Amino acid sequence: GQILIDDEAADTDARTDVHAGPSEPRRGLRGAERWAVVASALTSIVFIARSAFTIDGKLTFTLFDDAMISLTYARNFARGDGLVWNQGGERVEGYTNFLWTLWMAAIHAVGIPTQFTSLAVMVTGALLLAGTVVLTARITRHVSQRPVAAGVAAWMVALSPPLIYWTLRGMEVGLLAALLAGAVLLVVQLPQGASRARLFGLAALLVAGVLTRTDFAILALVLAAFATAWCRPTDRRRVVVATFGAAGATLVAHTAFRIAYYGAAVPNTYTLKLGGIPMVDRLDRGFTVLGDVVGIELLLPLLVVALGFLLDRRAPTAVEQLAGTLLLASFAYVAYTGGDAWEWMTMPNRYIAPVLPELAVLVGLATVKIAHARRPAGSTQLAVALVALLLLLLAVVAPSDDHGRQLASGKFLLGAAVAALIGLVALGIVLFASSSSRPLRAGVLGGIVVLALFAMPAYQWWRINASYLDGDQRNARVGTQIAETTSPHTQIAVVSAGGIVYFADRPAVDLLGKSDVTVANSAPHLANFVPGHVKWDYAWSLGKLQPDLVMGTYGDPEAAEADLRRYGYERVLRSVYVRSSSHDVDVAALRRALEQSPADITPATSR
């Protein structure tokens, strides 16, 4: 009888440890967490290796096109020309990741060859991903003493396709995710005392986050509010200074720098994406994007979290409230801006990806709640309903290939496979709900959750590799060909403004206006609203600036063709044009070089 009483007491503790308040986590990683770090490292190595290619027999690496824009700014800064897109050109803030661009400049400053600068950025991203795995595990262990919670959270981050993709393709997402996870860990530790080191660390992370992306200030505001609410009353003034004060001062200082250096209070990219765009158009597209994210891309983890709360109906813990608020804040930002330009990749965009470690914490805690639920009443019916719903959704929503074309064949089988994996999650709840071995139940359930979450993304990754990698590699080759067939002062006009300009190392005109104030302030073309891709002004870019070479056009092809003829341009090949009066382009050599490129020079968003 005493054994039964003790077992029941232990079971009660197991079910309530998520709500028992924070516990000081062990410094070292546990088994499942260590393996998650190893998995993160191995995944990064494979991802980077699969992105390698050759140009003229030389091993080369490149990044996502927007990251290559930042890389161009960084190279010019390292050369001593300032944070500008064109050497000696107008000062325009055509990047949105100040601190990340400075890190890219540091990479250039050490003299790494052009073909390997992207590799250095990707290695940095791999280290950031591994660090985020560790931080996510520590956050989860601070809330729950159950190893499976931290294990599930760590593996979710280690295998998260959006985090891996956006980070290793060179975007600032990995840095933001690491900074946010570090800040969350320090905030959840504040009730134990606001030591000087803890406050300094939190302030430094918030400052770095706001300097990386200005819109990080939204997440910094959430963190500051929770930190102020959770800390001891005697520490409140110092916490306010370290959070609200540090983030606010950074925002003011960076704005002052922008005004002094660029002559504008906001980045040119902000003006390009939001200026003149009606709120109704942004919200319409933004909520459509959120529907895909919540209803398809993040449906399974959100269902796991919801099921955890359904089976354990107590109020969310403070940490769950913080993680949920950060996730909702990122959702609200996506709705406000209209989303990103790359939603066809069918994964959470680069605005949501940095907050996915916090979602991983929620899933880890939910797994513990589900595994230790005393009465999983109705879970069988819920499992059947979930499987039926997912079968319906995935039967009509086909996975897409690298160019967004629908896969007509096999889509039902693929959808059924994913739904079957999701069914295993629900089945695991039912089968292990009556098990006497709660750790075994939690461990098996956690494994099924991770497997179901990443089976389809892993399949997609192996099938198509990184989305649009072929386009970025083509742009690198085209840029190299331009460098070989033009004089150094040849000016090129581009739609894909990253890889071509970086590898060509030529002054450039940005037809879509990221680095052009006139285009960014022009009237938008709203027939097909894609953020950052609705403004162009050929009268200015081609008629006034008169670049020597035009590498692709955007919008109505017939209207663009007419404008090009009007401004004195002749077609070289496909969508490549040269100004008739230019003497800086070896047209014959360029044509021969471009004939080696298998596809047109068009941006992925126009497909």
Side-chain angles (χ1 to χ4, degrees):
Q2 184 62 41
I3 293 176
L4 291 176
I5 292 173
D6 289 343
D7 283 347
E8 183 173 353
D11 176 62
T12 301
D13 292 339
R15 289 186 291 109
T16 59
D17 79 329
V18 172
H19 293 265
S23 60
E24 187 62 35
R26 281 187 348 183
R27 292 289 179 182
L29 292 175
R30 299 177 182 178
E33 300 159 24
R34 291 194 196 98
W35 283 111
V37 174
V38 172
S40 176
L42 291 176
T43 302
S44 294
I45 291 171
V46 174
F47 190 103
I48 293 171
R50 295 186 73 197
S51 69
F53 64 110
T54 60
I55 298 179
D56 297 332
K58 295 180 180 179
L59 185 66
T60 307
F61 296 86
T62 188
L63 304 174
F64 191 71
D65 199 66
D66 280 19
M68 297 302 295
I69 295 175
S70 299
L71 207 63
T72 299
Y73 273 88
R75 180 175 60 189
N76 288 333
F77 185 68
R79 287 172 170 172
D81 296 306
L83 277 171
V84 293
W85 195 42
N86 289 320
Q87 289 181 274
E90 182 184 7
R91 291 182 178 180
V92 182
E93 189 177 1
Y95 58 89
T96 53
N97 46 10
F98 177 74
L99 194 61
W100 189 237
T101 300
L102 292 184
W103 171 247
M104 290 178 168
I107 289 174
H108 283 85
V110 300
I112 296 176
T114 297
Q115 66 266 30
F116 294 129
T117 51
S118 296
L119 174 61
V121 174
M122 286 191 280
V123 170
T124 303
L127 295 174
L128 289 169
L129 287 173
T132 305
V133 172
V134 175
L135 290 169
T136 305
R138 289 201 62 193
I139 294 168
T140 313
R141 276 196 277 122
H142 192 81
V143 183
S144 174
Q145 298 179 19
R146 296 294 171 182
V148 68
V152 168
W155 275 91
M156 274 193 66
V157 174
L159 301 179
S160 173
L163 270 178
I164 294 169
Y165 178 87
W166 292 117
T167 300
L168 297 185
R169 295 305 327 278
M171 301 303 292
E172 67 280 358
V173 166
L175 177 58
L176 290 173
L179 293 173
L180 181 60
V184 169
L185 178 61
L186 291 175
V187 169
V188 301
Q189 292 175 345
L190 279 180
Q192 300 173 0
S195 66
R196 181 177 299 179
R198 192 167 286 162
L199 287 180
F200 179 82
L202 180 56
L205 291 172
L206 295 182
V207 167
V210 173
L211 287 177
T212 301
R213 278 190 69 96
T214 301
D215 47 24
F216 185 88
I218 299 171
L219 303 180
L221 180 64
V222 173
L223 291 165
F226 275 85
T228 303
W230 288 353
C231 70
R232 298 170 180 173
T234 54
D235 295 328
R236 189 149 294 150
R237 181 177 297 178
R238 294 191 301 130
V239 170
V240 169
V241 172
T243 55
F244 287 106
T250 302
L251 193 60
V252 170
H254 197 191
T255 301
F257 165 77
R258 284 194 174 105
I259 294 173
Y261 195 81
Y262 293 113
V266 296
N268 192 62
T269 51
Y270 182 92
T271 303
L272 175 71
K273 293 182 178 182
L274 300 183
I277 311 296
M279 177 72 76
V280 64
D281 290 321
R282 299 206 310 267
L283 291 178
D284 178 62
R285 188 179 189 277
F287 280 110
T288 299
V289 169
L290 284 182
D292 290 340
V293 171
V294 175
I296 299 174
E297 297 159 10
L298 295 181
L299 179 60
L300 179 54
L302 292 174
L303 285 176
V304 172
V305 173
L307 187 56
F309 285 118
L310 180 66
L311 297 178
D312 185 349
R313 299 185 180 182
R314 284 167 291 188
T317 64
V319 174
E320 289 170 324
Q321 293 174 30
L322 172 57
T325 304
L326 290 169
L327 192 63
L328 290 176
S330 69
F331 287 173
Y333 183 73
V334 167
Y336 171 74
T337 59
D340 202 0
W342 316 100
E343 313 298 355
W344 56 267
M345 292 183 183
T346 62
M347 65 179 176
N349 61 37
R350 49 186 167 169
Y351 305 139
I352 295 175
V355 192
L356 292 182
E358 284 61 52
L359 176 59
V361 172
L362 292 175
V363 172
L365 298 178
T367 303
V368 171
K369 292 179 181 180
I370 294 168
H372 293 278
R374 181 177 291 278
R375 292 187 305 274
S379 57
T380 303
Q381 294 88 334
L382 182 60
V384 173
L386 292 181
V387 172
L389 174 63
L390 266 294
L391 275 171
L392 177 63
L393 285 173
L394 295 170
V396 298
V397 181
S400 59
D401 69 3
D402 190 42
H403 301 304
R405 294 186 294 266
Q406 292 297 308
L407 294 177
S409 61
K411 66 179 183 180
F412 181 83
L413 292 178
L414 291 175
V418 175
L421 288 172
I422 297 171
L424 285 176
V425 177
L427 182 61
I429 298 168
V430 177
L431 293 180
F432 292 96
S434 59
S435 171
S436 60
S437 177
R438 297 300 173 91
L440 174 63
R441 182 198 311 174
V444 173
L445 178 58
I448 294 175
V449 168
V450 172
L451 174 64
L453 282 171
F454 299 112
M456 178 58 75
Y459 165 76
Q460 290 285 76
W461 176 39
W462 282 107
R463 186 175 64 85
I464 65 172
N465 204 5
S467 293
Y468 199 54
L469 177 61
D470 60 339
D472 291 322
Q473 292 175 346
R474 183 181 65 250
N475 287 343
R477 291 191 176 96
V478 169
T480 302
Q481 291 160 353
I482 291 174
E484 294 170 350
T485 56
T486 63
S487 64
H489 56 272
T490 301
Q491 189 177 46
I492 58 177
V494 289
V495 174
S496 295
I500 293 177
V501 176
Y502 182 80
F503 282 93
D505 198 9
R506 297 290 186 266
V509 173
D510 186 352
L511 293 176
L512 291 184
K514 294 182 186 68
S515 299
D516 191 309
V517 174
T518 300
V519 175
N521 284 279
S522 65
H525 305 265
L526 292 174
N528 181 27
F529 173 48
V530 179
H533 294 72
V534 294
K535 294 181 180 179
W536 57 89
D537 184 352
Y538 291 152
W540 165 258
S541 301
L542 303 179
K544 179 68 174 177
L545 299 182
Q546 286 282 292
D548 300 280
L549 195 60
V550 178
M551 305 300 298
T553 59
Y554 201 84
D556 183 2
E558 294 182 359
E561 180 79 21
D563 286 335
L564 285 159
R565 287 197 302 267
R566 181 182 307 116
Y567 300 127
Y569 288 87
E570 298 177 353
R571 185 194 298 270
V572 175
L573 187 71
R574 297 188 292 273
S575 59
V576 178
Y577 301 82
V578 64
R579 182 163 48 84
S580 302
S581 58
S582 175
H583 302 289
D584 295 317
V585 181
D586 187 336
V587 176
L590 179 62
R591 180 182 289 109
R592 288 194 300 271
L594 291 178
E595 285 173 348
Q596 303 172 11
S597 300
D600 211 346
I601 310 300
T602 53
T605 51
S606 68
R607 304 189 180 200

